[in-house]
Amino acid sequence: MPRPLILFLVLFSLPCFAQEALVPVAPPPGDLSQPTPPIVPPTKEVIVPPPVTLPAPPEAQPVSGEPLTAGEAARIALRLQPDVTIANAGILAAQGQTGQVRSGLRPTFGVSSTYTQQKSLGSSSGSGGGGSVDTFSASSSNGLRLTATVRQLLFDFNRTRDAVRAATLREQAATANFTRVQSDLVLNVKQAFYTFVENQRLVEVNEANLKNRQAQLDLAKARLGSGLGAPADVVRAQTAVAQAVFELESARNLVSTSRVNLALQMGIDPRTPIEAKDSDEAAIAANDVNELVSAALKQRPEAVQAQANLQAAQVNIGVAQKSNRPSLGLSASAGSRSKAFGYNNGSVRATLDLEWTPFDGGVTKSLVKEAQGNLLAAQAELLKSQQAIVSDVSQAYLNLRTAEQRVIAADAGVTNAEESVRIAEGRYRAGVAAFIEVTDAQTALITARTNRVNAISQVAQARAALRRALGETLPATP
């Protein structure tokens, strides 16, 4: 068929199709004056339960009259935490050991008393009356003797003095260990405190999310009631509300458990009610990592403790080498003896004592070997502590910088997510968007807000960790 003829037939048939399209279609049977009511889906509403609380212990007293800060919580822990008491007991034990060794340089004075009672039996024979006679006799004597003795070490090649020096260094190590325990405790308390504050903020985030979900449910119901929405939108919104309630309850539980952990770290009854102030850790001037590492190596208690142990081990080498050398001492004693019914006498004596064991069966050699082994271990411990300090400072610095960058990104994420929710709700009201856009936007918003809360908490914890890594001064206890 020729092409012009086909084109003519097509143009001729278009009016016919248009007329057929304009022909009215018969309506379905029924009364069109009454609109069809919307179909309400059978959903189940979720009731928000009250928070689960932990009963306070009997006669519980608040830890503070006002909400706690991280510094106040740390000061309470330094006063009450048993670990601090244990470390302090270590100092007392080291001081006692130093005193025991130092006593060898000081004169000693002793008094002794002896009471003696003696009975003697005897016999004698003689003649008389035409035969021999045996005579028995008994005698008794008693007396009291008092003796006072003074002794002073004169010379032992400084073995005792070196032992005192080593004990003093161990005492310094115990003091540094006490500071280390305090520093670790402050960090643990601050981390527990900021985790508690973080969980409190997350509860607020989830409460705002539940409020938005409920508002979105009301919007879906309103559109369904006006005939513009779909039953599936109401079901989806009700499901989102139920999920929001579940997440809120989980957040509340985290607050309760983190409160228990904070109380445990502070050394108080875990059931004690605690109200924490919404605060952050103060900023640290941390720009040059090398300067931070140098400062930490000088003032960290771990470095001080390891250095003191190393010096003590070096001194103990000399103590062990001098263990079989002669020692010279002077002693003087005075005694008095008395006898019942009468007489007493006294005596005075001075003695120069020389003690020397040139052949001790290998004891000195074994002591030197033990001291050398302890020295090698102390050197390795010092190196290990230095490496750990460098690692702590480096990791704390990296965590702090990363957390600060995350806060910036999280702030932008929250702003964008809030705008996305506003646009999605507006589009849904206008009927140009599906309800799933609203729920997805709200999910993205709570994720962004959660990320921001987590990032802020990470900044505070990283600052506290950097302070501990640097060995900064501890908060003063009340």
Side-chain angles (χ1 to χ4, degrees):
M1 182 180 292
R3 183 175 300 176
L5 181 59
I6 295 175
L7 181 60
F8 174 78
L9 293 175
V10 171
L11 293 175
F12 179 77
S13 61
L14 285 177
C16 297
F17 290 141
Q19 292 178 0
E20 292 178 359
L22 294 176
V23 174
V25 181
D31 186 5
L32 297 180
S33 61
Q34 299 293 333
T36 303
I39 301 176
V40 180
T43 59
K44 184 177 181 180
E45 295 185 0
V46 180
I47 300 176
V48 182
V52 179
T53 58
L54 192 65
E59 300 180 357
Q61 298 294 332
V63 294
S64 177
E66 298 180 356
L68 280 178
T69 63
E72 292 170 349
R75 284 189 288 270
I76 293 174
L78 289 175
R79 190 178 74 250
L80 301 178
Q81 180 56 248
D83 290 340
V84 177
T85 304
I86 295 173
N88 188 42
I91 296 179
L92 296 178
Q95 292 174 345
Q97 293 174 358
T98 303
Q100 294 175 32
V101 179
R102 184 177 285 113
S103 65
L105 298 175
R106 298 171 179 172
T108 59
F109 175 77
V111 177
S112 63
S113 174
T114 304
Y115 177 78
T116 304
Q117 185 175 11
Q118 181 178 357
K119 292 185 177 181
S120 300
L121 299 177
S123 63
S124 61
S125 60
S127 59
S132 62
V133 178
D134 294 331
T135 304
F136 294 91
S137 65
S139 64
S140 64
S141 63
N142 53 56
L144 178 66
R145 181 176 181 81
L146 298 175
T147 305
T149 305
V150 178
R151 190 180 189 283
Q152 173 65 54
L153 176 65
L154 298 180
F155 181 74
D156 65 349
F157 293 90
N158 290 329
R159 179 172 61 88
T160 303
R161 295 184 182 275
D162 290 343
V164 172
R165 182 185 173 194
T168 303
L169 290 170
R170 288 192 294 269
E171 184 179 334
Q172 295 176 5
T175 303
N177 179 69
F178 175 71
T179 306
R180 180 193 62 80
V181 171
Q182 289 181 311
S183 181
D184 292 343
L185 176 61
V186 169
L187 176 59
N188 293 336
V189 170
K190 285 189 173 183
Q191 288 180 338
F193 177 87
Y194 290 123
T195 300
F196 179 44
V197 172
E198 175 187 1
N199 292 332
Q200 286 182 323
R201 292 171 177 171
L202 289 178
V203 168
E204 296 175 358
V205 169
N206 282 275
E207 288 175 346
N209 175 63
L210 177 59
K211 183 178 180 181
N212 290 346
R213 294 292 192 186
Q214 290 173 338
Q216 292 163 3
L217 173 61
D218 295 338
L219 176 60
K221 289 180 177 180
R223 286 186 57 81
L224 178 63
S226 64
L228 300 176
D233 295 345
V234 177
V235 175
R236 185 181 296 275
Q238 189 67 65
T239 303
V241 169
Q243 181 64 27
V245 172
F246 179 82
E247 293 172 352
L248 175 59
E249 286 302 301
S250 298
R252 287 175 174 175
N253 181 66
L254 287 177
V255 169
S256 300
T257 55
S258 60
R259 180 187 291 111
V260 170
N261 182 55
L262 175 58
L264 179 64
Q265 295 296 331
M266 292 172 59
I268 61 178
D269 194 314
R271 299 170 296 173
T272 303
I274 298 177
E275 184 179 358
K277 185 176 181 180
D278 191 357
S279 58
D280 296 319
E281 187 79 4
I284 303 178
N287 297 321
D288 191 341
V289 180
N290 294 328
E291 291 183 359
L292 298 177
V293 170
S294 299
L297 290 174
K298 295 178 182 178
Q299 58 191 20
R300 275 282 291 271
E302 290 89 337
V304 176
Q305 179 183 5
Q307 188 66 39
N309 286 330
L310 176 59
Q311 294 175 358
Q314 292 171 343
V315 175
N316 279 330
I317 293 288
V319 175
Q321 292 173 345
K322 299 172 184 178
S323 60
N324 67 338
R325 294 187 181 183
S327 64
L328 183 64
L330 175 65
S331 61
S333 62
S336 175
R337 182 175 181 179
S338 64
K339 188 176 182 181
F341 307 106
Y343 86 96
N344 70 66
N345 56 10
S347 63
V348 178
R349 181 177 61 182
T351 306
L352 192 63
D353 301 323
L354 176 64
E355 296 182 2
W356 185 29
T357 310
F359 304 102
D360 58 2
V363 174
T364 300
K365 182 178 180 180
S366 300
L367 291 175
V368 171
K369 182 178 293 186
E370 179 184 2
Q372 290 173 343
N374 293 334
L375 177 60
L376 292 176
Q379 292 172 342
E381 286 294 336
L382 176 60
L383 179 60
K384 180 180 177 181
S385 65
Q386 291 174 342
Q387 293 175 344
I389 291 172
V390 175
S391 175
D392 290 344
V393 175
S394 301
Q395 291 183 5
Y397 176 84
L398 292 174
N399 291 338
L400 177 57
R401 290 290 176 256
T402 302
E404 291 173 344
Q405 294 174 355
R406 286 177 177 173
V407 170
I408 298 175
D411 287 337
V414 170
T415 302
N416 296 335
E418 290 175 346
E419 182 64 15
S420 177
V421 170
R422 187 189 67 82
I423 293 175
E425 290 179 348
R427 284 169 51 84
Y428 180 70
R429 287 190 181 94
V432 295
F435 187 73
I436 191 173
E437 292 188 17
V438 178
T439 57
D440 289 346
Q442 182 63 34
T443 300
L445 175 59
I446 188 175
T447 300
R449 288 177 174 174
T450 301
N451 291 340
R452 185 178 184 276
V453 170
N454 293 338
I456 293 175
S457 178
Q458 289 170 2
V459 169
Q461 295 188 41
R463 288 174 178 172
L466 184 57
R467 280 195 166 86
R468 184 261 178 190
L470 295 176
E472 290 192 358
T473 305
L474 298 172
T477 56

